[in-house]
Amino acid sequence: MTDHLKFSPDILRRLGEELVPDIDQGIVELVKNGYDADATTCKITLADPMSGNGSIAIIDDGIGMTGNQIRKGWLVIGRSDKAKGALTSKFKRVPVGDKGLGRLAALRLGNRVILTTRPASEPGKQYSTSLDWLEYEKADVVEDVALAIAETETDLPHGTEIRIEGIEARITRTTVNKLARSLLLLSDPFARFDDQLSNGRLKSTKRSRIIDPGFSANLLTMEFKDLQAKVGKSYFSDAEYRIQAELHANGNATFRIMDWKGEIVHEAMAGDTFHAPPFTFDLWVFVLSKDSFSTRSSTLSEVRDWLAELGGVHVYEDGIRVPPYGGEENDFLGLNLRRVRSPEVRPSTNTSVGRIKINNTDGSLIQKTDRIGYVENYAFGELKRACGEALDWAARILLKERERKREADKQSKKEKAAKATSDLERVLSKNFKPTERKKVDKAIQSYVKATEKEADSLREDLELYRSLATAGMISAVFAHEIGKPLGLIDNAIKGLIRLVPDEDQRKANARVGRIQTSRTRLSSFVSIPLRLLSKHKRRTGRIDVNRCIGSMVEMLEPISANYDTLITFKPSETGLFVNGTEALLDGIIINLILNSFNAFLRDNFEQDKRRIKIETWSDTTNILIRIEDNAGGIDGVSVEDIWLPGVTTVADGTGFGLTIVRDSIKDLNGTIRVDPITDFGGARFTISLRPMRELFGR
Amino acid sequence: MSDVVVFDVAHGNCSLVRSQSAYCVVDAPLGALLLNTLEDMGISCIDVAFISHADKDHIAGVIGLLSSATIQLKKLYLNPDSQKRTKIWRDLLAAVSVAERQGSCEVISTLTTTMPGTVTVGDVVIHVEAPSASFALAGSGSVDTQGRHITSNSISALLRLKQGDRPGILLAGDIDEVGLDDALNYDRDLTAQTLVFPHHGGLPASSDTTAFVDKIMSAVNPSLVIFSNGRGKHDNPRPEIVSPVARKRCAIACTQLAGRCSKSPIFNLGHLEPHRAYGQPTGASCAGSMTLDLAEHGRRPASYERAHQKFIDDLVETPMCRVPRLDK
Amino acid sequence: MLGTVEFPDIEPPRFVTIVDDDPEDREDLMDQLRDHNIEPRAVDGRYGSDIDRLIADVRATGSPFVICDHRLQIKNLASFNGSSVIKALGLSKHPAMLLTMYQSTNRLELREARADVPVVVSRHDFDVSQLGTYAEICRREFANDPVDARRAHRTLIGIKGINRTYNHTELYVTIPNWRPDDAIILPVACIASDLVPQLEVGDYLLGDVNVGAKEEDDLFFKNVNEIMKANEVTGS
């Protein structure tokens, strides 16, 4: 007798589950099969999704299957009955669905699958079959389970229904939302707007075919309706501009910037060719500011929600979406990364929505077996490169435009100022006698002078901030670099010690000890700028005030030891939390502590036991932080003036420390009070911050 | 006794004429070397000073002299240079104003062959051999009779120092061929025993170097040529100047050791005169500061000259002042 | 400062006293001295503002030469700085030198004090073998025969820029016969106080400056008490 390779039912589970992890993605795969069957609509219903025994039905109006097609195709796992590149029979669609393992995974979402199908080729006929997965669990090998295909009469039109029953996993709202979103985006929602947006110019790239009425998938739930309303509405005309890259079959690309009406404002050929299948990349960029929406019918929040739903840059291969591009947290073109380099004229995923329409007829782009994205091959790399070049090109153009606009603004401001002056002159000469006129002129002059002075000082502040920021960045860069020489010192010391003859070891050890102490001091000093700039500290969120101050005091330990100063920190007994960034709080604390150090070092100020005391506590409404020292208090400058930029009592000090403190506290919505001298023997700063307990505090 | 001290002031020029308790300074660059030297010599009054032309390396020290509280300057000769809108020129004006306010200094703003023509310092007569009055009046920025540009350097004063009929010394400032031709057109006698070569031995701006050297060497016919140069600055003196001078078989002495002569500084003190030399502490001096005897032959005392030659022979690797053996 | 050439054969002092608030730095200096067979002596303690007691303790060590750190406040040795110590020792002609890091914060402070501090050496350039020279520089200064780099001459000081901020004035000046093209900051404390308010860019001051100084940090200013207004300078 002939033997066969047989499969344990386990393999079915493993194959499916591992390939498509999510329910929503599994269902989308089944919907795609509907598209491949030249369906125009596909309805998805969910029953008792939260019960642990739910069911899903996917019903399309496609061409259906005959008994033979079920037998030879649908029931054969892993076979694709069409060669790649072959188009569907009716609408000449490029098949997008997965006939293989992805479909298996979807079918296995529940305990049972019932397939009912009415082939267009055999009107009045209906075929049905069911897969009972529990039966497979019991069987030794897959082949042992017998299947029957029933044939009945019907007067219903052609189409296919797949019903998955006994779904044990609870289908949560989140999953439903995700599914709704995936289904909506599955068939290019942008396509509906192509006509109005592109003036029909894109049509030339489409292949001629029997007119495809299109394909839509509807999830019959409330969530879907809401979402559909959101996504379905078009806000494209609210875009500030649209960046377009069109890659032609010969590898040449055209880059364009269009205004909201779709009119081309800038156009250029790319300087390079790209080896990717022809595609069109569109990116609608929005300026989400109150100003820009003040004159429009749509509201800022509407557009913001819409953008949040629609997400980033979606990829449509022959009209069907290729996930995960453009999905949540997916930024495959690196929009946000590019933005870091020049934020002013770059879109982010939050302020733009885009689409790449690909004609993948040559198959150089290959979808991964799990149906999540393309294989990162050369063609895909070229596609990304072309899009990136388009974005860079656009950024350059926009930057130039903006500079031109700024110049023009400046000019018009000057003209306005000149006009205002002449208007004023006219009014004055009409209303004042020459004798009074002199007084008025003088008053105006002094006012203008004061205003100019203020502008001057602001400019100076800005310059100083810039140079300080540069100094900070550079010190951080070199702090990174210092690790190497430090390591070298360690090794050199060890080597030297070995060279010292035994009788001199004691003497040598004293000196080596000093090198080591200095090395430790050095590394603790250089770690400070690094810590202050470490990335996680820039994010806004909940700050644990006590932890933040505690670690700051600990970090400054080598410095306070250096200044012979004892810093004591008495945190409140309970946790204190504020909303903000740790960097802000760090900046406040470190500047106040440095301020105290400087006060101790003043010429002719005597303090044998230098102390800085930090306390935190909370009263009924606020979080309070108190920092005081015994450095003699504030003198040589009036208390109101200490906050002013550039005011310093230290030779060559920048006078910015307390200004930064003031501004940072303002950013944290707090207040600061200063007592120039207290019983403790120095200045006392009391900071009051809003607690965050209503949101996060426990 | 009358002599001239040509100081090692690095890049720049500075000479002190001493005769019968009368003193004269010609040019001085920045720094305190001249002031310290004068104080140590117990000189509290300079009878006359000259600024050959309006360059920093000739003026800055005179500014110090004008403002000095310990040394009085009685008379200052210089040519105004209308082209010089430099900061140092304004500094000089300020210093002149200070001196004038104190009523201590007479400033004479012409320095030409006719005015003052000659100036007497003790037994020494200083002959102004250039520029001519008309040349100075034309001034820098204009062109000479041959259509060549007259620069600040062109109107450098040529000062010939003589005691009686003895061979003298010619201080040439930064004069170039245009300025030299002005003197030669008027048949000025430029002969001197010692020539302090113009422009620190740097290349003249716009003429054939060899022709210029030939012209000045045959007009002066010196037996000693001094380059007042700064080691490491402007690469002076230039070999294109030094070799034709050396081929004239005349002695050469540079205040400082040119980089081309010795790559490293030489810390050897034996041959230097006791006067301050700017290059001494850093090993940059070659001949250092030099005293030239006007009452005798117009050259250095023989012992110093010998010691200097020996220093070059023994310690300087590639002295430019030595004519290559092939030529000998 | 001065090279070895000017003072070729000067024996370093046999005992040297060190005033330094940082024990590590102090020990390091002492070891350096021991390596050159010089016996180090140290002054340690808390002096607050009592400079007289510190001077007395220094003198009690009996060393002919003192090395003093500039910033004594950091580790709270004293509430005054090292240049005050050098100045006080100088009053009784006790040779002493100042060691400093030349940090930007104290460069101007040092310029103010520089007239009374003959020798300032940066920690990086400190060389024990030069101690004899340093002592000689002090000796000549006390004998009223300062070395060239320390000799003051009446000099023009050109005002090139004035930066008046909230509570102090900063002057950028050039010294035509020192380096006419380098603007440096002249601390207003060095200028006769009645002149400060009338200063404008383009004015000149007259003062005693050691124009033989090699480096900017070696310059000192004394008796800056005459002014020549810009409009008094003809041709400007």
Side-chain angles (χ1 to χ4, degrees):
Chain A
M1 95 178 236
T2 320
D3 278 323
H4 300 274
L5 189 61
K6 296 189 178 88
F7 289 91
S8 152
D10 282 355
I11 205 94
L12 288 176
R13 192 176 57 243
R14 258 186 252 153
L15 277 173
E17 283 172 3
E18 282 169 21
L19 283 170
V20 180
D22 297 325
I23 292 177
D24 59 309
Q25 220 32 67
I27 293 168
V28 169
E29 283 309 318
L30 297 177
V31 173
K32 281 183 184 172
N33 283 339
Y35 173 84
D36 289 351
D38 283 333
T40 57
T41 63
C42 182
K43 281 183 268 185
I44 299 96
T45 59
L46 299 175
D48 304 326
M50 293 294 287
S51 67
N53 185 26
S55 64
I56 302 174
I58 296 120
I59 306 153
D60 70 45
D61 61 354
I63 55 168
M65 284 176 278
T66 61
N68 225 21
Q69 280 169 326
I70 295 174
R71 220 165 280 124
K72 294 270 165 66
W74 198 79
L75 285 179
V76 181
I77 305 291
R79 163 178 298 177
S80 172
D81 55 351
K82 290 165 194 147
K84 181 78 197 168
L87 305 177
T88 59
S89 53
K90 192 168 168 193
F91 297 132
K92 307 290 178 214
R93 290 173 176 168
V94 176
V96 294
D98 183 49
K99 307 289 180 276
L101 300 170
R103 187 172 52 106
L104 170 68
L107 297 176
R108 279 198 55 101
L109 288 171
N111 291 329
R112 211 151 68 93
V113 180
I114 301 155
L115 169 76
T116 313
T117 180
R118 296 174 295 280
S121 55
E122 297 172 24
K125 286 256 167 69
Q126 171 170 299
Y127 298 93
S128 59
T129 185
S130 70
L131 300 169
D132 191 337
W133 298 114
L134 298 176
E135 289 291 311
Y136 284 91
E137 299 285 325
K138 284 183 229 150
D140 285 335
V141 293
V142 174
E143 287 79 352
D144 287 352
V145 182
L147 296 174
I149 300 173
E151 185 184 332
T152 49
E153 297 293 316
T154 181
D155 47 10
L156 291 171
H158 60 83
T160 301
E161 174 181 342
I162 296 168
R163 182 179 293 277
I164 302 165
E165 291 179 340
I167 300 173
E168 284 171 12
R170 284 166 212 278
I171 304 170
T172 61
R173 259 190 91 83
T174 322
T175 311
V176 175
N177 265 322
K178 254 171 91 180
L179 175 62
R181 196 163 176 275
S182 297
L183 288 173
L184 270 170
L185 293 172
L186 176 65
S187 54
D188 186 353
F190 303 88
R192 275 178 282 167
F193 312 108
D194 267 353
D195 284 347
Q196 92 189 65
L197 290 166
S198 66
N199 292 332
R201 202 176 26 69
L202 284 175
K203 278 182 185 156
S204 61
T205 64
K206 286 180 186 163
R207 290 183 303 266
S208 62
R209 57 173 74 148
I210 301 169
I211 291 163
D212 184 344
F215 176 77
S216 69
N218 292 304
L219 180 64
L220 302 180
T221 65
M222 277 311 287
E223 289 89 345
F224 187 80
K225 270 186 192 147
D226 289 352
L227 207 60
Q228 192 175 35
K230 262 186 209 161
V231 178
K233 195 153 184 211
S234 154
Y235 292 97
F236 288 104
S237 58
D238 285 318
E240 199 70 13
Y241 56 90
R242 171 173 163 201
I243 299 169
Q244 188 176 73
E246 191 179 346
L247 181 64
H248 312 284
N250 59 6
N252 288 329
T254 311
F255 297 156
R256 298 183 188 94
I257 296 175
M258 297 179 231
D259 65 11
W260 62 277
K261 287 176 293 196
E263 277 175 27
I264 296 168
V265 193
H266 297 276
E267 186 172 41
M269 286 294 287
D272 205 352
T273 52
F274 303 92
H275 303 278
F279 71 86
T280 308
F281 164 45
D282 286 283
L283 188 75
W284 289 267
V285 184
F286 296 78
V287 173
L288 299 178
S289 72
K290 274 190 191 136
D291 275 0
S292 60
F293 276 85
S294 58
T295 55
R296 296 187 194 170
S297 57
S298 38
T299 69
L300 180 57
S301 61
E302 267 170 32
V303 175
R304 194 175 274 144
D305 285 355
W306 179 72
L307 281 173
E309 286 305 335
L310 225 55
V313 177
H314 301 274
V315 175
Y316 289 89
E317 182 180 323
D318 300 298
I320 287 292
R321 174 160 179 257
V322 181
Y325 306 115
E328 248 174 300
E329 306 269 308
N330 180 284
D331 182 16
F332 77 109
L333 290 179
L335 292 180
N336 295 337
L337 192 72
R338 283 167 206 278
R339 191 175 152 76
V340 171
R341 294 200 292 256
S342 62
E344 286 176 82
V345 292
R346 294 276 195 174
S348 78
T349 48
N350 295 330
T351 61
S352 66
V353 58
R355 174 201 49 184
I356 298 176
K357 260 171 65 166
I358 305 174
N359 275 329
N360 190 21
T361 34
D362 67 347
S364 60
L365 290 173
I366 301 155
Q367 290 201 36
K368 290 195 255 180
T369 23
D370 63 1
R371 315 301 295 170
I372 308 288
Y374 288 111
V375 175
E376 295 272 345
N377 63 5
Y378 181 63
F380 190 61
E382 285 288 282
L383 177 139
K384 285 198 287 189
R385 187 169 72 88
C387 295
E389 293 276 313
L391 292 169
D392 289 349
W393 169 81
R396 276 195 303 275
I397 299 271
L398 293 166
L399 201 63
K400 263 188 228 155
E401 287 246 303
R402 200 202 49 197
E403 284 307 313
R404 208 173 305 141
K405 195 157 166 264
R406 271 190 195 169
E407 272 310 308
D409 276 1
K410 246 191 239 163
Q411 198 53 42
S412 87
K413 266 179 199 150
K414 263 188 209 155
E415 281 162 15
K416 269 184 199 158
K419 187 171 179 302
T421 311
S422 72
D423 286 354
L424 182 68
E425 177 64 32
R426 212 174 47 243
V427 172
L428 289 180
S429 51
K430 222 188 255 170
N431 295 308
F432 288 95
K433 286 187 205 116
T435 43
E436 288 169 337
R437 183 57 209 274
K438 244 190 186 151
K439 274 187 223 158
V440 175
D441 279 355
K442 220 172 161 190
I444 290 173
Q445 259 169 26
S446 72
Y447 168 76
V448 169
K449 228 178 177 175
T451 317
E452 278 170 0
K453 224 171 158 186
E454 197 185 332
D456 277 351
S457 77
L458 275 175
R459 204 165 28 243
E460 276 168 27
D461 288 0
L462 193 66
E463 266 169 35
L464 192 51
Y465 263 120
R466 278 200 197 113
S467 64
L468 290 177
T470 309
M473 267 150 32
I474 288 172
S475 69
V477 168
F478 289 106
H480 274 296
E481 292 298 320
I482 216 153
K484 232 166 135 192
L486 285 178
L488 199 135
I489 291 174
D490 288 340
N491 295 336
I493 293 173
K494 277 184 213 143
L496 271 178
I497 276 292
R498 276 197 296 273
L499 292 176
V500 175
D502 288 348
E503 61 270 26
D504 293 331
Q505 284 278 349
R506 200 180 52 80
K507 261 170 129 181
N509 275 334
R511 294 187 190 198
V512 168
R514 270 205 301 283
I515 301 177
Q516 268 156 346
T517 315
S518 306
R519 182 226 176 278
T520 312
R521 234 205 287 188
L522 193 59
S523 67
S524 62
F525 288 174
V526 299
S527 70
I528 293 169
L530 280 185
R531 191 196 122 126
L532 288 175
L533 286 169
S534 65
K535 205 176 160 197
H536 76 277
K537 312 201 68 176
R538 277 188 247 127
R539 256 184 248 148
T540 300
R542 185 176 80 145
I543 321 172
D544 182 336
V545 173
N546 288 338
R547 201 188 53 74
C548 183
I549 298 176
S551 65
M552 175 60 69
V553 169
E554 194 183 316
M555 180 187 79
L556 290 176
E557 215 281 320
I559 295 188
S560 51
N562 189 50
Y563 287 112
D564 191 42
T565 304
L566 178 70
I567 304 183
T568 51
F569 175 41
K570 211 176 116 201
S572 62
E573 283 169 15
T574 53
L576 303 177
F577 299 98
V578 295
N579 187 22
T581 71
E582 218 170 299
L584 277 180
L585 189 57
D586 273 0
I588 294 166
I589 304 297
I590 201 166
N591 273 304
L592 289 173
I593 292 176
L594 290 184
N595 194 53
S596 293
F597 286 153
N598 278 327
F600 284 125
L601 297 185
R602 277 173 303 171
D603 270 354
N604 304 322
F605 170 73
E606 235 180 296
Q607 174 55 261
D608 201 33
K609 289 196 165 53
R610 296 172 178 171
R611 293 193 57 194
I612 298 172
K613 208 164 71 176
I614 307 174
E615 278 177 84
T616 60
W617 73 97
S618 73
D619 63 14
T620 45
T621 49
N622 288 313
I623 288 173
L624 293 122
I625 305 168
R626 185 157 72 199
I627 300 182
E628 55 189 326
D629 60 32
N630 59 351
I634 295 166
D635 59 10
V637 54
S638 75
V639 178
E640 305 86 75
D641 288 345
I642 59 170
W643 308 110
L644 297 177
V647 174
T648 174
T649 55
V650 184
D652 207 38
T654 60
F656 259 93
L658 289 180
T659 310
I660 290 168
V661 167
R662 179 197 62 187
D663 293 349
S664 303
I665 288 171
K666 213 186 271 166
D667 289 348
L668 290 173
N669 286 317
T671 57
I672 183 162
R673 207 187 70 220
V674 56
D675 300 306
I677 181 89
T678 66
D679 294 344
F680 193 57
R684 171 198 285 165
F685 292 90
T686 311
I687 299 162
S688 166
L689 299 174
R690 293 256 184 79
M692 208 195 179
R693 66 169 84 86
E694 60 270 21
L695 277 174
F696 291 102
R698 285 279 118 79
Chain B
M1 190 214 80
S2 306
D3 61 15
V4 179
V5 186
V6 175
F7 289 106
D8 165 9
V9 286
H11 181 81
N13 282 82
C14 183
S15 308
L16 170 68
V17 183
R18 305 186 285 189
S19 179
Q20 308 294 343
S21 321
Y23 302 98
C24 161
V25 167
V26 182
D27 290 345
L30 46 84
L33 185 135
L34 175 68
L35 294 170
N36 288 339
T37 302
L38 295 175
E39 282 179 2
D40 287 357
M41 286 174 171
I43 298 170
S44 60
C45 176
I46 298 291
D47 299 273
V48 58
F50 296 92
I51 291 174
S52 66
H53 68 295
D55 268 357
K56 192 160 61 190
D57 49 337
H58 299 252
I59 290 181
V62 179
I63 294 174
L65 198 57
L66 283 163
S67 59
S68 170
T70 53
I71 299 153
Q72 191 206 344
L73 174 61
K74 281 187 172 167
K75 216 178 231 188
L76 171 65
Y77 286 100
L78 76 167
N79 277 318
D81 189 338
S82 56
Q83 285 300 102
K84 285 279 168 176
R85 292 254 171 265
T86 52
K87 285 180 284 179
I88 194 81
W89 190 251
R90 187 171 180 276
D91 291 339
L92 177 71
L93 292 175
V96 167
S97 305
V98 167
E100 280 181 329
R101 189 161 73 177
Q102 289 162 350
S104 58
C105 181
E106 188 187 346
V107 178
I108 296 129
S109 57
T110 51
L111 177 53
T112 66
T113 50
T114 47
M115 178 66 210
T118 56
V119 174
T120 306
V121 178
D123 291 341
V124 176
V125 180
I126 299 173
H127 301 263
V128 184
E129 307 289 5
S132 66
S134 58
F135 192 81
L137 269 176
S140 65
S142 59
V143 290
D144 73 351
T145 48
Q146 297 180 45
R148 295 175 299 182
H149 283 287
I150 299 176
T151 66
S152 289
N153 284 352
S154 314
I155 49 171
S156 277
L158 273 181
L159 301 178
R160 198 157 63 103
L161 284 48
K162 277 178 72 94
Q163 182 173 6
D165 290 331
R166 294 187 187 84
I169 295 165
L170 186 69
L171 305 177
D174 281 358
I175 203 160
D176 58 11
E177 195 168 9
V178 180
L180 186 65
D181 283 345
D182 171 50
L184 296 176
N185 288 344
Y186 284 91
D187 291 328
R188 305 299 304 194
D189 179 4
L190 302 182
T191 53
Q193 192 72 355
T194 297
L195 166 67
V196 178
F197 202 90
H199 209 202
H200 327 285
L203 293 179
S206 58
S207 61
D208 175 355
T209 306
T210 316
F212 174 66
V213 173
D214 274 349
K215 192 178 272 180
I216 194 166
M217 289 300 284
S218 37
V220 182
N221 195 23
S223 65
L224 171 65
V225 170
I226 289 174
F227 293 102
S228 183
N229 64 318
R231 178 179 169 83
K233 197 163 185 196
H234 304 309
D235 201 14
N236 288 336
R238 303 284 307 197
E240 300 92 319
I241 304 263
V242 180
S243 5
V245 170
R247 275 198 290 272
K248 301 275 177 201
R249 301 260 179 262
C250 84
I252 292 173
C254 299
T255 54
Q256 292 207 347
L257 192 58
R260 284 174 194 274
C261 298
S262 172
K263 284 201 187 77
S264 36
I266 303 175
F267 294 92
N268 184 295
L269 306 161
H271 68 287
L272 295 182
E273 294 187 25
H275 299 298
R276 278 179 175 76
Y278 193 86
Q280 185 227 26
T282 52
S285 290
C286 189
S289 295
M290 289 170 262
T291 309
L292 306 167
D293 193 344
L294 277 168
E296 297 285 331
H297 41 65
R299 286 183 60 162
R300 305 186 66 192
S303 57
Y304 282 119
E305 198 157 322
R306 269 200 308 274
H308 179 224
Q309 293 307 319
K310 191 170 182 319
F311 164 80
I312 295 171
D313 288 336
D314 293 352
L315 297 170
V316 181
E317 293 159 15
T318 50
M320 282 189 284
C321 54
R322 295 283 185 265
V323 179
R325 288 184 194 287
L326 279 175
D327 279 14
K328 274 187 180 170
Chain C
M1 252 301 143
L2 294 156
T4 34
V5 184
E6 199 169 342
F7 307 96
D9 301 309
I10 298 168
E11 278 287 310
R14 288 189 37 227
F15 309 103
V16 170
T17 295
I18 293 167
V19 183
D20 195 327
D21 64 323
D22 189 316
E24 304 285 333
D25 290 343
R26 187 168 59 225
E27 286 299 321
D28 176 52
L29 271 177
M30 289 173 83
D31 274 341
Q32 285 189 49
L33 292 172
R34 288 189 194 104
D35 290 347
H36 285 76
N37 296 315
I38 298 168
E39 190 188 315
R41 293 160 182 184
V43 169
D44 189 15
R46 295 265 171 136
Y47 293 92
S49 57
D50 193 351
I51 190 163
D52 294 340
R53 188 160 63 84
L54 175 64
I55 298 295
D57 283 0
V58 169
R59 298 182 72 84
T61 60
S63 303
F65 193 72
V66 177
I67 300 174
C68 187
D69 179 42
H70 180 54
R71 299 252 278 166
L72 301 175
Q73 295 104 322
I74 307 256
K75 292 209 159 24
N76 222 347
L77 181 103
S79 68
F80 43 86
N81 59 36
S83 45
S84 318
V85 177
I86 308 278
K87 212 163 161 176
L89 286 167
L91 289 177
S92 53
K93 306 201 172 190
H94 195 125
M97 66 178 289
L98 195 66
L99 271 188
T100 178
M101 293 300 292
Y102 271 127
Q103 282 161 336
S104 61
T105 45
N106 49 37
R107 282 180 94 152
L108 295 183
E109 212 172 277
L110 280 172
R111 186 162 299 158
E112 278 178 44
R114 200 65 172 86
D116 300 309
V117 183
V119 185
V120 179
V121 176
S122 105
R123 272 187 188 273
H124 285 293
D125 300 336
F126 177 70
D127 177 359
V128 181
S129 67
Q130 293 286 298
L131 278 181
T133 305
Y134 299 149
E136 176 66 9
I137 293 169
C138 297
R139 192 195 61 74
R140 295 250 317 248
E141 192 130 332
F142 299 143
N144 216 6
D145 173 30
V147 296
D148 281 4
R150 294 281 301 165
R151 227 194 259 196
H153 296 281
R154 197 74 181 156
T155 301
L156 275 180
I157 300 163
I159 309 289
K160 300 294 166 185
I162 302 176
N163 190 5
R164 289 182 214 272
T165 59
Y166 171 77
N167 53 0
H168 73 286
T169 303
E170 218 167 44
L171 296 179
Y172 291 86
V173 302
T174 57
I175 301 154
N177 55 329
W178 179 67
R179 285 185 207 155
D181 301 323
D182 292 2
I184 63 160
I185 296 177
L186 173 60
V188 280
C190 294
I191 305 170
S193 51
D194 57 317
L195 298 183
V196 178
Q198 43 173 316
L199 283 180
E200 289 172 283
V201 173
D203 292 353
Y204 285 89
L205 291 164
L206 273 169
D208 299 345
V209 183
N210 56 333
V211 287
K214 289 269 187 294
E215 301 300 330
E216 178 183 337
D217 287 320
D218 295 327
L219 284 174
F220 66 74
F221 297 83
K222 283 195 296 196
N223 306 317
V224 184
N225 51 15
E226 283 177 79
I227 187 169
M228 156 121 358
K229 296 295 291 177
N231 56 21
E232 295 176 74
V233 179
T234 41
S236 50

